[in-house]
Amino acid sequence: MTAPQIGFISLGCPKALVDSERILTKLRAEGYIISPNYKDADLVVVNTCGFIDAAVEESLDSIGEALAENGRVIVTGCLGTREGEIRARHPQVLKVTGAHAIDEVVASVHEHLPPRHDPFNSLLPPQGIKLTPNHYAYLKISEGCNHRCTFCIIPSMRGDLVSRPIDDVMVEAVRLADAGVKELLIVSQDTSAYGLDLKYQPHYWRGRSVKTRFYDLAEALGDLGIWVRMHYVYPYPHVDDVIPLMADGKILPYLDIPFQHASSRILKLMKRPAASQNNLERIRAWRQVCPDITLRSTFIVGFPGETEQEFEELLDFLDEAQLDRVGCFAYSPVKGAVANDLPDSISEEIKQVRLARFMERQSEISAGRLQQRIGNIETVLIDEVVEEGAVARSQSDAPEIDGQVFIDGATHLTVGDFVEVGIEEADDHDLWAHLI
């Protein structure tokens, strides 16, 4: 008897990718085969994103493609909270669930495609099904968010903060490390708020009591002997406590902190509590403790009411902060966001001009930061080996969003290797190096 086959489309952020991995792991454990194409799939699951309008359209288009190519589709993910909108475009979908509805998705698959258990098809690797390469993995430590940023609708889709107990997180981390993962990317909606909802409840881990909180988690993960990279870190004061762990090499000297803007007035309209001057002071303090720290951030330009003076304030902040990696978005109304009702919206033309000016300024800064690394000897992780050589990442580079290190001629290396290289050249995004 042929095992039922599931097609899967995973859209959106790394947090959604982890949800997809968990769904696939459960289905695989029950004997379902994961199909790489529509043709062989008996049913397709689409894990959607609903954060911005472009992501909504991509999700709706993907649902339509799956229906056209296969015909039997279950929809889940953040856009699933807007079932009416999905069914208005695609009334023939079998089921719609919201974000993080792993058990509900599996139950829907059971309903429309009952499992046929086969012990040979139910074998799983100890780390479960992963959609990333074998040498790195995303580790999600919590769901939801307690903030109510006016441009964001994530709490309405994923709810308030729900942290995983620290011993549960560490069991998964060890399992991944034992399976050969060389880098863990820690993700959530608000990583530095980890454990707040559990009142930092302590658990025993490897003979000692550790609290369910950001610092204890960073310290425990630092004992695994692999790269640990922190993403989506809100700039709370207690983040300062983790910087010495980076200086000591326990976790990577890398912080992904979404500052969003520099104007105090715009930050208040966004309901972001941090002030730009405080952030600049803390950046200086972090670099004093850990000079090699890499700082990544994201910003929004063209937020309703943003004046030319406030935009210039943001450019001045970039000059002062000298951030290593930066992403920027022109403000886009998101259905259901409070910011949609703010007065003094900015024209699309001005948004795009400001976005271009912002990226031009940051490109110069990023290029200067990378030029400073020429001549350094650095450890890199091999992501790919191609005909011309190896493609790697340094400690300063998260996969897919940051830069790469190109090593000409190093075709003998293996994906997942750590190697020492000498940095030879740089542009505004990537590095070129030779093996040491």
Side-chain angles (χ1 to χ4, degrees):
M1 185 180 295
T2 304
Q5 297 196 47
I6 299 289
F8 208 101
I9 300 171
S10 185
L11 304 172
C13 66
K15 280 106 47 193
L17 184 76
V18 173
D19 287 346
S20 297
E21 291 173 341
R22 290 176 179 173
I23 293 168
L24 287 170
T25 296
K26 285 201 167 196
L27 293 173
R28 193 73 181 84
E30 294 177 352
Y32 292 92
I33 300 297
I34 311 305
S35 172
N37 55 61
Y38 291 120
K39 177 185 174 185
D40 296 328
D42 298 300
L43 182 151
V44 177
V45 178
V46 181
N47 190 3
T48 60
C49 178
F51 184 52
I52 59 175
D53 288 349
V56 170
E57 280 305 310
E58 181 187 18
S59 294
L60 290 171
D61 288 346
S62 296
I63 295 167
E65 179 182 291
L67 285 167
E69 297 291 332
N70 182 274
R72 305 185 73 213
V73 176
I74 291 171
V75 177
T76 187
C78 289
L79 188 59
T81 58
R82 293 150 64 174
E83 181 172 357
E85 191 172 336
I86 293 170
R87 291 197 179 277
R89 180 87 70 92
H90 303 298
Q92 62 270 54
V93 296
L94 299 175
K95 178 74 175 180
V96 178
T97 78
H100 197 53
I102 294 167
D103 291 336
E104 192 176 352
V105 173
V106 173
S108 298
V109 172
H110 289 170
E111 178 185 352
H112 296 284
L113 185 64
R116 295 191 289 270
H117 184 72
D118 180 337
F120 293 103
N121 286 331
S122 302
L123 294 173
L124 275 175
Q127 72 273 25
I129 300 296
K130 290 292 168 188
L131 299 177
T132 50
N134 293 335
H135 62 290
Y136 70 81
Y138 293 100
L139 179 61
K140 184 159 64 170
I141 62 174
S142 66
E143 280 291 341
C145 181
N146 288 343
H147 293 289
R148 295 296 182 266
C149 300
T150 58
F151 56 82
C152 180
I153 58 172
I154 285 174
S156 68
M157 295 186 290
R158 291 185 171 262
D160 289 336
L161 178 71
V162 179
S163 302
R164 297 171 59 189
I166 191 167
D167 56 339
D168 183 49
V169 174
M170 289 306 302
V171 166
E172 182 179 357
V174 169
R175 191 166 62 238
L176 290 167
D178 288 346
V181 167
K182 303 294 182 66
E183 177 182 11
L184 289 176
L185 300 112
I186 311 306
V187 297
S188 68
Q189 302 299 337
D190 185 356
T191 296
S192 41
Y194 174 64
L196 176 64
D197 55 309
L198 299 179
K199 299 180 180 178
Y200 309 117
Q201 182 180 7
H203 292 268
Y204 275 94
W205 173 252
R206 293 187 169 175
R208 63 188 177 95
S209 178
V210 291
K211 292 183 177 181
T212 303
R213 65 175 180 176
F214 182 53
Y215 178 87
D216 293 54
L217 177 65
E219 187 177 43
L221 290 170
D223 291 336
L224 298 181
I226 60 177
W227 280 8
V228 175
R229 191 181 301 276
M230 294 293 182
H231 287 277
Y232 309 106
V233 177
Y234 204 91
Y236 302 117
H238 66 261
V239 171
D240 299 355
D241 299 334
V242 173
I243 308 303
L245 296 178
M246 298 179 178
D248 292 340
K250 296 276 285 182
I251 64 174
L252 289 181
Y254 180 102
L255 274 182
D256 171 15
I257 297 188
F259 290 123
Q260 304 298 6
H261 211 278
S263 161
S264 296
R265 191 183 74 88
I266 295 295
L267 287 168
K268 286 178 181 177
L269 289 175
M270 291 177 169
K271 290 198 173 177
R272 305 283 293 187
S276 61
Q277 188 55 43
N278 291 342
N279 286 334
L280 287 171
E281 291 171 0
R282 293 179 70 204
I283 288 169
R284 284 191 282 266
W286 293 341
R287 285 178 170 146
Q288 284 183 344
V289 175
C290 183
D292 293 332
I293 192 170
T294 295
L295 298 176
R296 152 169 275 283
S297 191
T298 52
F299 295 86
I300 298 172
V301 297
F303 192 78
E306 180 190 60
T307 65
E308 176 63 23
Q309 182 179 349
E310 286 165 333
F311 175 70
E312 291 284 351
E313 188 178 343
L314 176 55
L315 296 182
D316 291 342
F317 176 86
L318 292 181
D319 290 337
E320 286 279 334
Q322 292 288 298
L323 302 173
D324 299 274
R325 304 291 191 185
V326 171
C328 186
F329 304 91
Y331 173 75
S332 173
V334 178
K335 187 174 182 179
V338 173
N340 296 346
D341 299 325
L342 292 174
D344 303 320
S345 62
I346 308 299
S347 72
E348 196 60 37
E349 180 182 3
I350 292 176
K351 287 181 193 176
Q352 293 305 318
V353 168
R354 288 179 181 174
L355 177 61
R357 289 170 61 194
F358 179 103
M359 293 310 298
E360 182 180 7
R361 181 72 59 90
Q362 180 56 42
S363 179
E364 294 173 0
I365 294 168
S366 294
R369 302 285 296 175
L370 290 175
Q371 286 291 324
Q372 293 173 20
R373 292 167 61 186
I374 293 176
N376 287 359
I377 295 175
E378 300 187 15
T379 300
V380 298
L381 178 60
I382 304 300
D383 276 342
E384 186 181 7
V385 178
V386 295
E387 186 176 343
E388 297 84 3
V391 182
R393 285 180 296 109
S394 72
Q395 294 186 356
S396 300
D397 303 306
E400 299 187 359
I401 57 173
D402 292 329
Q404 296 175 310
V405 181
F406 298 102
I407 313 167
D408 289 341
T411 55
H412 62 288
L413 298 176
T414 302
V415 171
D417 284 349
F418 284 115
V419 296
E420 298 289 305
V421 298
I423 307 300
E424 298 176 327
E425 297 179 42
D427 60 15
D428 60 350
H429 198 256
D430 300 312
L431 297 168
W432 283 260
H434 64 270
L435 287 174
I436 298 298

